[in-house]
Amino acid sequence: MNFVEELTWRGMIHQMMPGTEEQLNKEMTTAYLGIDPTADSLHIGHLVGVMMLKHFQRAGHKPIALIGGATGMIGDPSMKSQERKLLDEATLRHNQEAIRAQLSKFLDFDSDAPNAAEMVNNYDWMKEFSFLDFIRDVGKHITVNYMMAKDSVKKRLSGESREGMSFTEFSYQLCQGYDFLHLYREKGCRLQLGGSDQWGNITTGTELIRRTEGGEAYALTCPLITKADGGKFGKTESGNVWLDARYTSPYKFYQFWLNVSDADAEKYIKIFTSLSREEIEAFVAEQAQDPGARPLQKRLAKEITTMVHSAEDYEAAVEASQILFSNKAADILHRIDEATLLQVFEGVPSFEVSRADIEAGMPLAELLVEKAQVFPSKGEMRKMTQNGGVMINKEKIADAYAPASADMLLNGRYMIVQKGKKNYFLIIAK
């Protein structure tokens, strides 16, 4: 597999330094990509870079994931209008381990293959580097004029931010440049990968290698991913879409990909999966024939949910998604976990009732009229029940005055009431 050709048809190349493809065709090459460790989970904004590393390893080359422990303590000014909060070492180490566990689903770290992936943390070589040594051994090779010419610096100094730019941030590109130099010396690393906003920082590294070692190093960036409507990719009303199930459940993760637009699905399936060009073209053709069936979105959601979580999590997410329509919905409701149940019915009207009333066998008409205002009157509930229009936990009830019971509580505390075809209510026993 030719790495550059693979990334080209997938729409994953923004800029590439001359000579990069020739280097990759010549021999197994080591490349690194920096990952910001400011959280103990990656989010889907990181996935483009992670997929670049995955394809790089698939092409027979050696990927290095660099955790920016030192640079994370500074904060990259690229495309940012404010400085970041700085992290302590204990937090950085915790975040590093969590990120490694997530990356291991994409990269082979543990085999004895010559191109097995490695993880490094730039804090390990920067923590003992004195300021005087750094400005003498690194700073003297790069001029202020060169650093000022970078877009990330110019934008911050052009008045977009009232606060200007601290010396700490100004020095960031030198620190990142030194990472590349260190990995060039210690690991034979010849290429740095990153997002298009990193071009200035990456080329500072290639320049530093040229000036200190007389060596050739290369840069390749991918475009920043956007949505077809111009909105920001990966952001929802509730914030980032995370890879860790504690922050974004597999169900919500699956739903995110399932609900992207047709135009975005065609773009994302190339970027975020390892499906072949032929397979993707077949799905694109299928989508053109029957857009309503959404084959692109379904396959995209399947591939990426399985890769990030598991096949079991994917199946559970699909099952949960079918609750509102499936003829097995009653069984599914009794199986799914509390978090997924609440997400499926997020936004529906909810009422709190007394658990004691349910356990005492209060008639449903009383419970759903007086304790929870699902129906305006017992007469209306009785009439709708007789017409087969009332369901509890997706099972029709035949008698409006049947007693409630603890058996009706999902996960020990919830009851889903359906009134007609589309009106749902969540009853919470307290």
Side-chain angles (χ1 to χ4, degrees):
M1 175 180 133
N2 181 301
F3 177 67
V4 173
E5 284 179 9
E6 186 77 8
L7 259 57
T8 300
W9 77 258
R10 290 182 183 275
M12 293 173 72
I13 293 183
H14 181 75
Q15 285 171 290
M16 183 170 65
M17 195 172 275
T20 303
E21 189 168 11
E22 290 79 358
Q23 168 61 33
L24 295 174
N25 290 339
K26 184 171 70 174
E27 60 191 355
M28 184 182 87
T29 301
T30 300
Y32 90 93
L33 177 128
I35 295 171
D36 174 17
T38 47
D40 65 353
S41 173
L42 302 174
H43 54 73
I44 59 174
H46 292 106
L47 275 183
V48 188
V50 174
M51 291 304 295
M52 288 173 81
L53 288 179
K54 183 178 176 69
H55 292 309
F56 194 70
Q57 191 171 43
R58 285 177 63 220
H61 300 293
K62 184 178 180 67
I64 295 177
L66 180 142
I67 298 297
T71 39
M73 289 181 168
I74 298 172
D76 180 3
S78 301
M79 308 303 166
K80 310 262 189 335
S81 59
Q82 293 180 318
E83 285 202 37
R84 295 188 199 159
K85 287 190 289 188
L86 310 185
L87 302 176
D88 60 70
E89 187 179 356
T91 304
L92 286 167
R93 294 299 184 190
H94 165 74
N95 293 354
Q96 175 182 338
E97 289 309 306
I99 290 168
R100 182 191 165 95
Q102 290 180 336
L103 289 177
S104 65
K105 296 182 177 181
F106 297 83
L107 303 172
D108 166 23
F109 283 100
D110 301 317
S111 78
D112 55 3
N115 70 326
E118 286 186 46
M119 176 177 274
V120 296
N121 189 329
N122 61 12
Y123 183 74
D124 293 329
W125 58 81
M126 292 300 289
K127 64 183 175 184
E128 304 298 338
F129 213 156
S130 77
F131 178 70
L132 289 175
D133 286 342
F134 187 79
I135 58 174
R136 184 191 65 193
D137 297 342
V138 180
K140 70 177 183 182
H141 295 289
I142 301 292
T143 66
V144 170
N145 306 50
Y146 180 88
M147 295 171 73
M148 295 280 284
K150 300 294 186 180
D151 284 344
S152 59
V153 175
K154 283 197 289 191
K155 284 184 179 177
R156 282 292 290 275
L157 296 178
S158 67
E160 289 181 21
S161 168
R162 289 182 186 175
E163 296 176 12
M165 185 181 207
S166 69
F167 174 76
T168 305
E169 285 187 301
F170 182 62
S171 66
Y172 185 94
Q173 62 172 291
L174 268 186
C175 293
Q176 185 169 329
Y178 180 73
D179 286 342
F180 201 171
L181 175 60
H182 177 85
L183 292 175
Y184 177 88
R185 287 169 172 168
E186 300 296 320
K187 306 278 186 185
C189 182
R190 304 289 296 277
L191 172 64
Q192 187 179 165
L193 306 171
S196 57
D197 60 330
Q198 291 296 307
W199 182 257
N201 292 332
I202 295 173
T203 52
T204 297
T206 62
E207 185 66 9
L208 191 58
I209 289 167
R210 187 183 70 78
R211 293 186 184 188
T212 59
E213 303 290 312
E216 285 292 333
Y218 305 95
L220 190 155
T221 62
C222 60
L224 295 179
I225 305 305
T226 55
K227 296 200 305 191
D229 64 5
K232 190 165 185 181
F233 166 73
K235 290 282 187 183
T236 65
E237 287 178 15
S238 54
N240 283 322
V241 179
W242 298 93
L243 273 55
D244 191 312
R246 292 173 301 162
Y247 307 134
T248 300
S249 71
Y251 170 76
K252 273 202 162 177
F253 187 84
Y254 168 78
Q255 286 289 323
F256 172 83
W257 300 103
L258 190 66
N259 290 311
V260 301
S261 70
D262 289 0
D264 286 335
E266 186 172 339
K267 179 166 75 169
Y268 296 167
I269 200 166
K270 294 174 185 172
I271 296 170
F272 298 111
T273 77
S274 296
L275 294 174
S276 70
R277 193 172 194 166
E278 294 72 30
E279 288 173 297
I280 290 172
E281 285 171 354
F283 282 113
V284 170
E286 196 180 328
Q287 184 101 346
Q289 288 287 315
D290 185 6
R294 298 168 70 79
L296 271 175
Q297 284 92 335
K298 287 177 181 174
R299 189 55 185 267
L300 169 66
K302 177 180 181 179
E303 290 290 319
I304 199 157
T305 305
T306 302
M307 187 159 51
V308 168
H309 295 288
S310 69
E312 292 74 25
D313 286 325
Y314 160 72
E315 296 292 348
V318 172
E319 197 173 56
S321 302
Q322 295 170 344
I323 284 175
L324 304 185
F325 320 104
S326 169
N327 54 11
K328 296 179 182 175
D331 292 337
I332 298 169
L333 275 174
H334 285 281
R335 283 202 306 271
I336 64 171
D337 61 271
E338 181 178 8
T340 305
L341 176 76
L342 293 176
Q343 284 162 3
V344 171
F345 291 98
E346 190 174 25
V348 307
S350 64
F351 300 98
E352 290 185 2
V353 300
S354 163
R355 177 185 294 277
D357 288 342
I358 293 174
E359 291 174 345
M362 177 179 280
L364 289 171
E366 200 172 316
L367 185 75
L368 300 178
V369 174
E370 295 175 4
K371 303 294 182 179
Q373 291 73 53
V374 173
F375 294 91
S377 69
K378 292 177 184 175
E380 182 172 322
M381 179 176 171
R382 185 176 64 247
K383 193 171 172 184
M384 192 174 257
T385 301
Q386 287 168 347
N387 292 329
V390 180
M391 300 175 93
I392 289 182
N393 302 334
K394 297 299 280 187
E395 293 183 279
K396 281 185 185 177
I397 61 166
D399 179 5
Y401 288 90
S405 75
D407 291 344
M408 292 178 173
L409 295 175
L410 304 168
N411 286 283
R413 59 188 302 228
Y414 304 102
M415 187 187 294
I416 304 298
V417 179
Q418 188 176 348
K419 179 172 132 184
K421 284 189 176 178
K422 294 183 179 175
N423 297 308
Y424 289 90
F425 302 85
L426 178 66
I427 307 300
I428 305 166
K430 292 278 188 176

